[in-house]
Amino acid sequence: MSWAAHEFENYFLQRHVGLKASFLGIVGGTFLPDLFTKAFVYEADNPAFFHRGWPGVGFTHSFMFGVVFAVLVLAVTKSRSWALGVLIGQWAHVATDIADTAGVMPFFPFSTEPVTIGMWKHAAVAGRYGDATAYYSSLGGVWDLLWLVLFLVFATRTVRSDYFRNVVVAADPRAWGWIQRKLRVGEGGLLLIYRGLLFYGAGRMISWFLYARFTSKAPFQPRWGGPDFVAGSDLSDAGWLEVLIRTGIGGALFAGFLYVCWKGFIARLWERGEDAPVVQRGHGFRGAVIDHR
Amino acid sequence: MAWIALLAIYVVLGLVVKSAVLNWIVGPIFPLVCLYLLPKVFGRAKPDATGDAP
């Protein structure tokens, strides 16, 4: 699994969706795959299979899971920004978790074949602290650093106070207003909450890296498929061609299913949905989702 | 500077108590508590958490 990368990527995504998706929705979507399951993963007999496989809770790391939640959010709240945010955040989490050896089933239930690039080992079998040690002793830690660099290069403007006020809050005034009223904080407090996720990502990345080096004293092994001191956790012995074929079929079925659902009821829910006053949403993917600012 | 100092404190706390601090509940609200709520509680100068440097 990715660790701090999931925090940093929220701001990178925010940079690209501007006013058109809720940042809080993106954060919610990013948390969604692990929210109800991660605590149980470390207690499972086979943590990797429980976390990413089927039968298990691997369906939480599928694109379908994000679609279901996004449609529910749209149906209940009528907020297009929240629905898009949840979808984008959840899909980003799924995409980045392809990098560990357990992989994900992106097109579940149309394909239960795990897809992985095996960049670092899924190390939940080593327990919570062992997992942290392994992640920050492998290319996983480098992955987190890469996302921090991407944030620093492309998305630092998203944490400016004027950006927060004019884009993040403007895109989702009801939610931020609710938080302000409930917590009785001013704009400064809201800004701290907004930047807090970035702070958390940076803090835990540094802390766990130092823990791995100086407490666990684990060797730093930033090579593909590492670290060597953790047992492997591949969920499938299928070759790349079989994975490609099964995933391709699953992807085609998923796309078809989405199209039917869009025509059947999602489009009606979208039309019924509402936007914040400042949002000017166009048609098509670019018009509806992309807003570089 | 406040952010850098706070990050250093968080990292040290994280090394000591680990998951009790390094979690998705405490971590994101740590700056709010330390830079906004605590100054407000202890009646110092109006908490100033704005500024463009993260």
Side-chain angles (χ1 to χ4, degrees):
Chain A
M1 55 208 101
S2 297
W3 286 52
H6 288 320
E7 278 81 66
F8 303 141
E9 68 194 14
N10 292 327
Y11 298 90
F12 183 84
L13 293 169
Q14 172 61 52
R15 174 73 173 83
H16 289 85
V17 299
L19 285 168
K20 298 199 175 172
S22 161
F23 179 81
L24 294 172
I26 292 173
V27 172
T30 306
F31 279 144
L32 203 53
D34 290 336
L35 188 61
F36 305 111
T37 60
K38 188 74 179 287
F40 304 106
V41 167
Y42 295 113
E43 312 305 323
D45 291 334
N46 187 335
F49 190 86
F50 172 78
H51 193 205
R52 304 287 182 76
W54 178 259
V57 295
F59 61 88
T60 57
H61 287 68
S62 67
F63 294 135
M64 181 66 82
F65 192 70
V67 169
V68 168
F69 262 88
V71 171
L72 277 173
V73 165
L74 183 62
V76 172
T77 69
K78 293 189 188 176
S79 170
R80 292 184 186 137
S81 292
W82 264 84
L84 266 181
V86 166
L87 184 71
I88 290 168
Q90 200 273 352
W91 280 20
H93 186 127
V94 170
T96 49
D97 275 1
I98 283 175
D100 70 28
T101 51
V104 301
M105 301 178 292
F107 302 119
F108 179 94
F110 302 108
S111 169
T112 55
E113 185 64 44
V115 177
T116 170
I117 62 173
M119 198 165 150
W120 63 83
K121 290 214 178 105
H122 184 284
V125 66
R128 189 183 306 274
Y129 298 150
D131 191 7
T133 298
Y135 185 80
Y136 286 101
S137 301
S138 69
L139 284 177
V142 177
W143 179 250
D144 279 3
L145 187 62
L146 170 68
W147 275 99
L148 178 59
V149 169
L150 287 175
F151 161 78
L152 290 171
V153 172
F154 296 110
T156 50
R157 73 165 66 185
T158 62
V159 292
R160 294 175 61 94
S161 54
D162 56 340
Y163 185 96
F164 174 68
R165 187 184 313 117
N166 298 327
V167 180
V168 177
V169 174
D172 196 6
R174 281 195 303 178
W176 287 105
W178 184 87
I179 293 171
Q180 185 167 26
R181 288 190 302 276
K182 287 300 174 190
L183 297 184
R184 298 183 195 173
V185 295
E187 185 186 271
L190 291 183
L191 185 59
L192 283 169
I193 293 170
Y194 172 66
R195 291 170 173 172
L197 202 65
L198 177 67
F199 174 89
Y200 168 51
R204 74 162 170 161
M205 183 179 75
I206 298 169
S207 281
W208 285 123
F209 182 81
L210 292 175
Y211 172 83
R213 301 286 78 71
F214 298 110
T215 305
S216 298
K217 294 186 169 46
F220 184 49
Q221 298 177 338
R223 48 179 171 268
W224 205 273
D228 298 338
F229 55 84
V230 175
S233 58
D234 293 343
L235 301 189
S236 170
D237 56 4
W240 69 268
L241 186 60
E242 183 179 350
V243 171
L244 189 66
I245 290 170
R246 294 180 68 177
T247 305
I249 293 171
L253 290 171
F254 173 72
F257 179 77
L258 265 192
Y259 178 78
V260 168
C261 288
W262 174 261
K263 290 293 187 186
F265 64 97
I266 299 178
R268 266 199 299 277
L269 287 174
W270 182 260
E271 289 304 316
R272 191 187 73 131
E274 295 164 356
D275 284 317
V278 298
V279 177
Q280 294 180 343
R281 202 179 298 276
H283 294 286
F285 175 76
R286 284 194 70 85
V289 177
I290 304 299
D291 180 32
H292 289 119
R293 67 177 66 219
Chain B
M1 282 306 295
W3 280 97
I4 294 173
L6 194 67
L7 187 63
I9 293 169
Y10 185 73
V11 168
V12 170
L13 273 176
L15 283 169
V16 173
V17 296
K18 297 185 275 295
S19 293
V21 167
L22 300 176
N23 62 70
W24 61 274
I25 296 174
V26 174
I29 66 170
F30 197 80
L32 175 71
V33 170
C34 295
L35 297 180
Y36 191 93
L37 296 179
L38 286 180
K40 206 173 173 183
V41 164
F42 290 109
R44 287 196 183 165
K46 182 178 167 188
D48 178 14
T50 55
D52 293 333

